[in-house]
């Protein structure tokens, strides 16, 4: 049980070239490297608890993982090994759900488990469509909660319309489809983040994407290995974007971030609220990559009810901008927030209320009336890395103490070091 104290700060002007590497892409690098028969080389792989767990899992499945400085070489096994151990996904829904899709088609018996937060997150959204195509998957509470047990089997091609826009569901189904006997079609109500499609097509997979529908051809041969430098994570960078947007006269430059359109929607909302934001494209490899410059602007309230899948991870940090903006902000159509690392609707609202801000929950979002953050409050992380980091940013205006901050290491181990460039931060047990 660690805690953190953040002091109020004055204007800052900071350039950051060490925002945590992208978590979604790092997980995919580890898992997708098993689809090749040659070594994949990955630079800038995220060295955080979640993604290191995934590397450990693929090594238990027989891959050889060599680290040389910040470069990782993953040599896939000839055939997936049946592990004697439980595969521990820690806090990561992405790891568990993608591995469910991948392992369902592999010969052997596999058990996936995670920490107490992940153990309560719904897995049926992936297990049900996989079962329909022949996967043998079981788990607690009628197959919905981990531990999840999988007996690999032959899978059928499918036509599946997902009721939710979830990249985890989509990616799990793509991984299953690549190993199915026939061609498959997947569609979702709205395009979710598309890293899987981009990376797999880059590796030579036959995946045809049309907005929110994709066709996946089964693999006839191993894919080309990955040669990738993982860009920085826009959702991690967003904490500092909000910091610059709310502290008068401040500016931050976030270098080498993924500018994938399905990932930068929150920056666009912050721009509409009044922050000054520039996107500077630099290169394109699997993904568009570049710098984002954010400068303070006087913020006004906003309604966020569209493109939710493109900013779902940033909503806790955005709620801090909403809390100090002029007027009322509303978040709607975001019930997915309830099944993240914590119930982020209630975590955010409860913490904002503690900070003296008028905030009200609805079933699928919240309403926040901008005001002045109360000084020196103590809030909880609810074991959720994004809640902990969002309220640390609020502390830049008011000073704050946050309980249970060890979760930050699941995605952004150098967060405190970077925050210390803007203010005084104390942390310990
Ligand atoms: C992720 C997809 C999103 C996101 C999560 C990472 C991914 O979840 O919230 O942090 O890597 O595919 P859903 O797919 O459940 O929306």
């Amino acid at each position: 049980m660690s805690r953190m104290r953040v002091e109020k700060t004055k204007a800052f002007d900071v350039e950051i070239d060490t925002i945590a590497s992208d978590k979604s892409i790092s997980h995919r690098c580890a898992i997708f490297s098993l689809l090749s028969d040659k070594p994949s080389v990955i630079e800038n792989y995220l060295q955080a608890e979640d993604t290191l767990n995934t590397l450990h899992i693929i090594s238990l499945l027989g891959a050889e993982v060599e680290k040389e400085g910040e470069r990782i070489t993953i040599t896939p096994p000839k055939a997936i090994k049946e592990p004697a151990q439980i595969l521990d996904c820690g806090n990561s829904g992405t790891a568990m759900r993608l591995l469910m899709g991948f392992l369902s088609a592999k010969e052997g018996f596999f058990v996936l488990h995670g920490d107490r937060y992940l153990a309560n997150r719904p897995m049926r959204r992936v297990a049900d469509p996989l079962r329909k195509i022949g996967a043998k998957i079981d788990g607690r509470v009628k197959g919905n909660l981990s531990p999840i047990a999988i007996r690999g089997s032959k899978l059928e091609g499918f036509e599946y319309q997902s009721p939710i826009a979830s990249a985890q569901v989509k990616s799990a189904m793509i991984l299953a489809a690549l190993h199915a006997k026939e061609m498959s079609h997947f569609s979702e109500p709205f395009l979710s983040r598309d890293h899987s499609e981009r990376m797999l097509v880059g590796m030579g997979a036959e995946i045809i994407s049309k907005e929110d529908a994709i066709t996946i051809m089964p693999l006839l041969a191993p894919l080309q290995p990955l040669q990738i430098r993982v860009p920085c994570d826009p959702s991690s960078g967003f904490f500092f974007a909000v910091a610059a947007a709310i502290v008068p006269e401040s500016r931050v430059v976030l270098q080498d971030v993924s500018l994938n359109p399905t990932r930068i929607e929150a920056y666009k909302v912050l721009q509409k609220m009044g922050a000054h934001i520039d996107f500077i494209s630099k290169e394109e490899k699997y993904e568009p990559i570049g710098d984002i410059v954010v400068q303070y602007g006087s913020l006004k309230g906003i309604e966020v009810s569209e493109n939710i899948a493109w900013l779902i991870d940033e909503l806790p940090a955005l709620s801090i901008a909403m809390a100090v903006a002029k007027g009322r902000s509303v978040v709607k159509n975001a019930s997915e927030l309830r099944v993240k690392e914590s119930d982020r609707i209630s975590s955010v609202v409860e913490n904002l209320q503690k900070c003296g801000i008028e905030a009200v929950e609805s079933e699928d979002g919240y309403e926040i009336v901008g005001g002045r953050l109360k000084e020196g409050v103590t809030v909880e992380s609810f074991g959720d890395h994004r809640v902990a980091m969002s309220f640390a940013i609020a502390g830049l205006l008011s000073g704050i103490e946050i309980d249970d901050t060890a979760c930050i290491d699941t995605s952004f181990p150098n967060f405190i070091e970077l925050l210390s460039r803007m203010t005084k931060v104390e942390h310990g047990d």
Side-chain angles (χ1 to χ4, degrees), residues 24 28 94 97 125 165-168 193 312-313 336 340:
S24 291
R28 285 161 173 78
T94 304
R97 294 186 178 127
R125 54 180 57 201
S166 158
Q168 294 177 359
R193 62 184 69 182
I312 191 85
D313 289 345
E336 275 296 298
K340 293 294 177 189

Side-chain angles (χ1 to χ4, degrees), residues 2 18 51 76 100 171 225 301 310 316 334 347 350 369 374 406 429:
S2 48
T18 50
T51 45
M100 283 169 72
S171 305
W310 293 2
S347 314
E350 190 177 321
V369 180
K374 203 153 110 190
D429 291 325

Side-chain angles (χ1 to χ4, degrees), residues 178-253:
L178 290 174
H179 296 93
K181 287 185 267 176
E182 304 88 12
M183 176 166 89
S184 300
H185 301 281
F186 177 92
S187 62
E188 52 188 347
F190 178 80
L191 176 71
S192 63
R193 62 184 69 182
D194 60 356
H195 305 300
S196 295
E197 299 91 301
R198 287 172 183 264
M199 291 169 73
L200 291 166
V201 167
M203 294 171 80
E206 248 190 280
I207 299 176
I208 302 145
S209 306
K210 260 198 206 152
E211 286 165 25
D212 44 17
I214 50 180
T215 301
I216 310 117
M217 303 302 285
L219 287 184
L220 298 173
L223 293 176
Q224 292 306 310
L226 282 163
Q227 291 276 352
I228 185 171
R229 181 172 177 83
V230 180
C232 296
D233 194 316
S235 59
S236 297
F238 194 67
F239 299 109
F240 296 107
V242 171
I246 64 172
V247 178
E249 312 290 309
S250 295
R251 173 182 175 268
V252 72
V253 182

Side-chain angles (χ1 to χ4, degrees), residues 8 22 37 39 48 59 88 95 97 101 111 113 161 170 215 257 259-260 275 303 307 324 349 361 396 413 420:
K8 231 158 103 164
D22 195 86
D37 57 352
S59 72
D88 182 2
R97 294 186 178 127
V111 180
H113 199 24
Q161 283 188 333
K170 174 171 63 178
T215 301
V257 178
L259 297 182
N260 182 322
E303 176 171 318
N307 301 349
V324 299
V349 168
E361 274 190 39
L396 293 176
S420 306

Side-chain angles (χ1 to χ4, degrees), residues 17-182:
D17 61 359
T18 50
I19 291 291
S21 305
D22 195 86
K23 188 148 81 95
S24 291
I25 298 177
S26 295
H27 281 302
R28 285 161 173 78
C29 284
I31 298 169
F32 295 177
S33 66
L34 303 180
L35 299 169
S36 181
D37 57 352
K38 300 192 187 70
S40 284
V41 179
I42 298 141
E43 283 176 47
N44 209 32
Y45 185 91
L46 175 61
Q47 303 289 322
E49 279 172 10
D50 272 4
T51 45
L52 290 173
N53 281 333
T54 305
L55 271 189
H56 182 60
I57 288 175
I58 64 158
S59 72
L60 293 175
L61 295 173
E64 206 180 290
V65 181
E66 271 173 274
K67 287 189 202 167
E68 209 190 306
E70 58 138 65
R71 169 185 299 213
I72 296 179
T73 305
I74 301 175
T75 308
K78 288 211 163 44
I80 294 298
K81 199 170 118 191
E82 186 175 60
Q85 302 89 330
I86 283 174
L87 304 173
D88 182 2
C89 302
N91 191 242
S92 173
T94 304
M96 187 171 281
R97 294 186 178 127
L98 268 59
L99 284 164
M100 283 169 72
F102 176 73
L103 293 172
S104 288
K106 296 289 162 190
E107 211 180 300
F109 176 70
F110 311 94
V111 180
L112 297 164
H113 199 24
D115 66 12
R116 67 195 164 101
Y117 302 102
L118 183 56
N120 279 310
R121 293 180 63 191
M123 294 300 140
R124 206 183 276 153
R125 54 180 57 201
V126 176
D128 279 353
L130 286 172
R131 282 191 203 106
K132 278 203 191 120
I133 58 169
K136 300 196 177 92
I137 302 181
D138 210 347
R140 284 186 305 126
V141 193
K142 301 194 176 129
N144 190 30
L145 301 184
S146 79
I148 293 286
I150 300 170
R151 160 74 58 197
S153 56
K154 293 255 178 300
L155 303 181
E156 314 286 335
F158 59 84
E159 196 147 323
Y160 183 62
Q161 283 188 333
S162 172
I164 40 173
S166 158
Q168 294 177 359
V169 173
K170 174 171 63 178
S171 305
M173 295 311 287
I174 293 176
L175 285 164
L178 290 174
H179 296 93
K181 287 185 267 176
E182 304 88 12

